Amino acid sequence: MADEIKHYATGSVIPLGDGFTGKSVLSRLIVNPKISDEELNHILLKTKKSYNIEIEFSSEEIITDNQPIITTLQLYVFPGQRQKIADRSTTFDEILNIFDCFPALLKVSVLLLIYDVTKEHTLQSLEMWLRFAIVKDWIYKDTLIVLVSNKTDLEPANDETIKRVKETIYSYIEDHELPVEMNQIITIKTSCVKMEGIEELRSMSLEWIAERGIRGVGIRDIEKLGEKEEKA
Ligand SMILES: Nc1nc2c(ncn2[C@@H]2O[C@H](COP(=O)(O)OP(=O)(O)OP(=O)(O)O)[C@@H](O)[C@H]2O)c(=O)[nH]1
Ligand SMILES: [Mg+2]
């Protein structure tokens, strides 16, 4: 009987940022970056303001230390809206309260802090979003923190600002004595319209999770699988 040992790694990716910064669109593109212009336009135009949790999954085989690892990104996307705007609209806090018990939310592998380069206030809010992740205990020794400057097709991202924000994030991490090194905080410029930075964000997240995500081993019995296929 021939067995094949398969190695798996999985990790949760949480995008945080104000409403309209592009969390939902970016997430949909990260799990599916090879799309046609038509599909991209559909996603850009039809993605509506989120009032619920959105879950996206994607797997790919990543070679780490000469070993293939089937790596899965699990994206949990929340609404950016924190204030109630209508009786029937749900907020970030209300949705999160429902899903707070999710094991995937106990430790987050990749935290995306997203702002819109054309809206200064969305950059200012990142402090609040980071504090939120710290209070929730989401950041641990295997968390990669990514500062995402989105919508760079509309305006270029300011490198000085990015550098300053990265240092601020690190000072927060230090103040809270979290076991995260400076090299675990990275920055990336993205444009969903031009599909820039998306593949990079995807491969960065996949490689991180392949190395530092939750590992598992599965055994596949090739002969038995073969027999089943013959019978079918
Ligand atoms: N020009 C431009 N528009 C973008 C980009 N990314 C997203 N958008 C647009 O920005 C709007 C908001 O995107 P969403 O993904 O819905 O934003 P969100 O952060 O999920 O918003 P909430 O669900 O309200 O929290 C949509 O109209 C998108 O098409 C980008 O890189 N460039
Ligand atoms: Mg959304």
Side-chain angles (χ1 to χ4, degrees), residues 19-25 44 49-50 80 150-151 153 191-193:
F20 216 68
T21 50
K23 298 177 299 293
S24 297
V25 170
L44 283 166
K49 188 174 181 59
S50 313
N150 192 33
K151 305 199 187 181
D153 52 288
S191 164
C192 297
V193 170

Side-chain angles (χ1 to χ4, degrees), residues 115-125 161 164:
Y115 74 100
D116 172 342
V117 293
T118 68
K119 295 203 176 78
E120 172 72 19
H121 69 89
T122 64
L123 181 64
Q124 304 302 335
S125 297
T161 305
R164 180 175 49 78

Side-chain angles (χ1 to χ4, degrees), residues 13 24-35 43 55-60 73-75 198 202 206:
V13 182
S24 297
V25 170
L26 254 174
S27 302
R28 294 177 74 181
L29 299 179
I30 289 170
V31 296
N32 187 17
K34 292 193 173 73
I35 53 170
I43 289 176
I55 304 178
E56 313 274 355
F57 285 79
S58 180
S59 289
E60 191 173 315
L73 298 176
Q74 304 176 351
L75 281 108
I198 312 288
R202 175 186 167 87
L206 277 167

Side-chain angles (χ1 to χ4, degrees), residues 23 53 78 117 138 141 157 160 169 225:
K23 298 177 299 293
I53 191 170
F78 293 97
V117 293
W138 281 353
K141 70 174 180 42
E160 273 305 307
I169 294 173
L225 268 180

